């Protein structure tokens, strides 16, 4: 391994919180519950958990391995490791696609982060109180139809992200996750506690943990596999960047298990917080993305204590969006900081400004640029589809293939603390099972 000259996490716990904070985002609190709702509940959850272990964990470890060995931004790390090992220099494309993916994703992710800020304010202002379904729907469509409103909240969200990342690894990333992650967990537990009082918690438990195997189809398996891949922030350069700040004393496998347990626990808690409210109010389980921004505000606006619950929920959503957003900006900033004379603050401002500008095009997709289509997609949907269906799977696939086939097998086994049967299991999963899983998701997403 190379000499550690890079900035380092101050402790293993802060690294775990940062990695979990990146993994715990809108995918857990916004996407996971509605995917469970659309895919039949417990059968989807169990398949998802299996995919997390067989695909998510090995790719997460592979990205950390590359980052820690490279001790540089993802692009330089891939280039240097390939050169050192005498491998094809084209492996640098894995790093490039990861950093590019993080940049593109943050541009539209920050727009959704702005929505969560807007809804947090809406909760405080009582905008949901006494509203019927049409009123809540009009609130959401009115927000999307207002370029000025979307720009304001997109800008505020990016200012928060830039401010945190500019402070660096110790003061910025660590300081943020030490505050936001515990707050996120507390808010989640309070909402689950409320769910228990609704009288419909048993229904939520049964829905999430009593599988109906007849609901399992090839489509459900692929959906679960895709969610397992994306929820851990894989293929975005994030985990390579975070791994580059990691010391040699950290056991990557055990740390990956900890991060995955935290990430999965929060996703399951999100379901246990949301589904009792859905059942108690007779709402549609399969209402898709609108579950968070249309269905739940309707419930909050018509229940006792709904103003406080709504505020807590959208604060939770904002905290989750922030922890993921700062991790998305980090690999881009790390690359610019290491490849140019710019300081940390200047690099963050330049990268943040670029993200902000592209985000403006994304938010205008809902109004002024609604009729402008590229390959049949508006700008927002194009960014979403290009990253989720092409860049992320290919980057994750490249990372696991490079770690499994190009890094020296004996050195990797020693670094991961593997021997005998455990080493064989790692090789089989990393070389064959995980790559085939990613390929299946990739092909399905292109065909879908």
């Amino acid at each position: 391994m190379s000499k550690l000259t890079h900035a380092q996490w101050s402790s293993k716990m802060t690294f775990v919180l940062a990695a979990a904070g990146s993994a715990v985002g809108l995918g857990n609190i916004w996407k996971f519950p509605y995917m469970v709702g659309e895919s039949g509940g417990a059968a989807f959850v169990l398949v998802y958990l299996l995919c997390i272990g067989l695909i998510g964990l090995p790719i997460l470890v592979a990205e950390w391995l590359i980052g820690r060995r490279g001790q540089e931004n993802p692009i330089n790390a891939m280039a240097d490791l390939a050169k050192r090992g005498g491998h094809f220099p084209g492996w640098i494309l894995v790093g490039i696609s990861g950093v590019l993916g993080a940049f593109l994703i943050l541009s539209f992710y920050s727009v959704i982060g702005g929505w969560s800020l807007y809804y947090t304010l809406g909760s405080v202002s009582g905008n949901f109180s006494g509203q019927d379904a049409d009123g809540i729907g009009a609130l959401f469509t009115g927000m999307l139809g207002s370029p000025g409103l979307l720009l304001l909240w997109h800008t505020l969200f990016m200012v928060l992200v830039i401010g945190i990342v500019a402070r660096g690894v110790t003061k910025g990333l660590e300081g943020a996750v030490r505050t936001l992650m515990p707050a996120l967990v507390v808010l989640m537990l309070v909402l689950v506690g409320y769910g228990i009082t609704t009288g419909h918690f048993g229904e939520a438990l049964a829905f999430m943990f009593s599988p109906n195997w007849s609901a399992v189809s090839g489509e459900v398996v692929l959906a679960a596999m895709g969610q397992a891949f994306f929820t851990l922030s894989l293929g975005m350069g994030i985990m390579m960047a975070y791994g580059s700040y990691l010391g040699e004393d950290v056991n990557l496998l055990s740390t990956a298990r900890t991060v995955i347990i935290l990430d999965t626990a929060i996703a399951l808690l999100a379901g246990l917080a949301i589904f009792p409210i859905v059942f108690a109010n007779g709402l549609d389980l399969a209402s898709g993305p609108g579950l968070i921004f249309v269905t739940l505000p309707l419930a909050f606006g018509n229940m006792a204590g709904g103003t406080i619950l709504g505020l807590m929920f959208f604060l939770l959503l904002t905290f989750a969006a922030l922890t993921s957003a700062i991790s998305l900006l980090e690999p881009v900033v790390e690359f610019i900081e290491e490849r140019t004379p710019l300081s940390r603050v200047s690099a963050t401002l330049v990268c943040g400004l670029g993200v902000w500008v592209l985000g403006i095009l994304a938010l205008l997709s809902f109004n002024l640029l609604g009729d402008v289509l590229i390959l049949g997609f508006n700008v927002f949907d194009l960014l979403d589809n290009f990253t989720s269906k092409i860049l992320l799977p290919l980057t994750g696939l490249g990372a696991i293939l490079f770690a499994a086939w190009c890094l020296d097998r004996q050195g990797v086994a020693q670094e991961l603390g593997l021997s005998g049967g455990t080493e064989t299991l790692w090789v089989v999963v990393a070389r064959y099972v995980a790559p085939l899983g990613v390929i299946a998701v990739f092909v399905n997403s292109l065909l879908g």
Side-chain angles (χ1 to χ4, degrees), residues 13-309:
M13 181 49 66
T14 51
F15 168 67
V16 168
L17 286 175
S22 172
V24 174
L26 296 176
N28 297 69
I29 299 168
W30 173 53
K31 191 174 183 182
F32 182 76
Y34 85 68
M35 288 190 75
V36 173
E38 288 183 331
S39 304
F44 174 86
V45 172
L46 291 174
V47 174
Y48 164 79
L49 293 175
L50 183 64
C51 292
I52 280 278
L54 292 177
I55 298 174
L57 187 143
I59 296 178
L60 179 60
V61 171
E63 294 196 7
W64 284 347
L65 265 173
I66 292 168
R68 184 162 72 175
R69 287 196 173 197
Q71 288 295 298
E72 295 176 279
N73 65 79
I75 296 174
N76 286 8
M78 288 301 305
D80 291 349
L81 288 174
K83 185 177 180 180
R84 264 187 260 163
H87 302 295
F88 177 55
W91 283 108
I92 191 177
L93 291 173
V94 175
I96 292 172
S97 63
V99 172
L100 176 63
F103 180 87
L104 296 178
I105 290 167
L106 183 54
S107 68
F108 67 86
Y109 194 96
S110 65
V111 175
I112 304 174
W115 298 355
S116 65
L117 282 174
Y118 173 69
Y119 270 68
T120 302
L121 179 65
S123 301
V124 177
S125 306
N127 288 357
F128 310 142
S129 299
Q131 293 272 23
D132 59 13
D134 290 338
I136 293 293
L139 185 71
F140 186 62
T141 55
M143 177 191 72
L144 293 184
S146 172
L149 195 62
L150 290 179
L151 177 61
L152 170 65
W153 293 105
H154 162 60
T155 303
L156 287 175
F157 187 80
M158 279 307 302
V159 166
L160 288 172
V161 174
I162 290 168
I164 292 169
V165 175
R167 290 169 58 82
V169 176
T170 305
K171 292 181 179 178
L173 300 182
E174 291 190 0
V177 297
R178 280 177 181 157
T179 303
L180 294 174
M181 285 303 293
L184 189 151
V185 172
V186 169
L187 286 171
M188 185 73 79
L189 290 174
V190 171
L191 286 168
V192 171
Y194 172 79
I196 293 173
T197 69
T198 62
H200 293 266
F201 194 71
E203 287 179 68
L205 280 174
F207 179 69
M208 289 187 65
F209 299 110
S210 296
N212 172 18
W213 293 112
S214 64
V216 177
S217 63
E219 188 177 344
V220 167
V221 171
L222 288 166
M225 201 180 291
Q227 176 65 5
F229 183 83
F230 301 128
T231 188
L232 292 173
S233 299
L234 303 175
M236 307 176 197
I238 294 169
M239 293 307 176
M240 287 189 205
Y242 277 17
S244 73
Y245 302 131
L246 199 56
E248 297 180 23
D249 57 326
V250 175
N251 183 300
L252 297 183
L253 271 177
S254 66
T255 306
R257 283 194 293 267
T258 302
V259 169
I260 283 173
I261 289 169
L262 277 172
D263 176 67
T264 305
I266 289 177
L268 295 176
L269 284 172
L272 292 176
I274 290 169
F275 288 127
I277 297 172
V278 171
F279 284 120
N281 291 273
L283 304 174
D284 182 11
L285 281 168
S287 54
L291 182 66
I292 297 300
F293 293 107
V294 178
T295 305
L296 284 178
L298 176 63
F300 292 140
N302 292 279
M303 66 170 66
T307 298
I308 295 174
L309 283 168

Side-chain angles (χ1 to χ4, degrees), residues 309-448:
L309 283 168
L311 171 62
M312 291 182 67
F313 179 80
F314 286 108
L315 266 179
L316 171 74
L317 198 65
T318 300
F319 287 172
L322 269 176
T323 56
S324 291
I326 60 177
S327 69
L328 283 164
L329 188 56
E330 180 58 31
V332 188
V333 170
E334 185 188 27
F335 171 70
I336 296 298
E337 186 184 12
E338 292 179 356
R339 292 291 290 264
T340 71
L342 294 179
S343 67
R344 174 77 182 194
V345 173
S346 298
T348 307
L349 287 173
V350 168
C351 297
L353 183 62
V355 169
W356 177 76
V357 170
L358 187 54
I360 292 174
L361 293 176
L363 67 86
L364 291 178
S365 302
F366 297 105
N367 37 75
L368 298 180
L369 298 181
D371 294 331
V372 177
L373 301 180
I374 304 170
L375 301 176
F377 298 102
N378 62 33
V379 175
F380 187 99
D381 290 336
L382 179 68
L383 290 167
D384 184 10
N385 280 275
F386 177 61
T387 53
S388 65
K389 293 185 176 182
I390 298 175
L391 276 188
L392 268 59
L394 288 181
T395 306
L397 179 63
I400 190 65
L401 289 175
F402 184 82
W405 291 94
C406 296
L407 296 182
D408 57 299
R409 177 171 168 174
Q410 186 177 355
V412 169
Q414 184 177 357
E415 199 170 335
L416 299 182
L418 302 173
S419 62
T422 56
E423 182 192 354
T424 302
L425 179 62
W426 163 261
V427 169
V428 170
V429 171
R431 288 189 172 184
Y432 306 105
V433 177
L436 287 173
V438 176
I439 291 169
V441 172
F442 179 61
V443 172
N444 180 69
S445 66
L446 289 181
L447 295 177

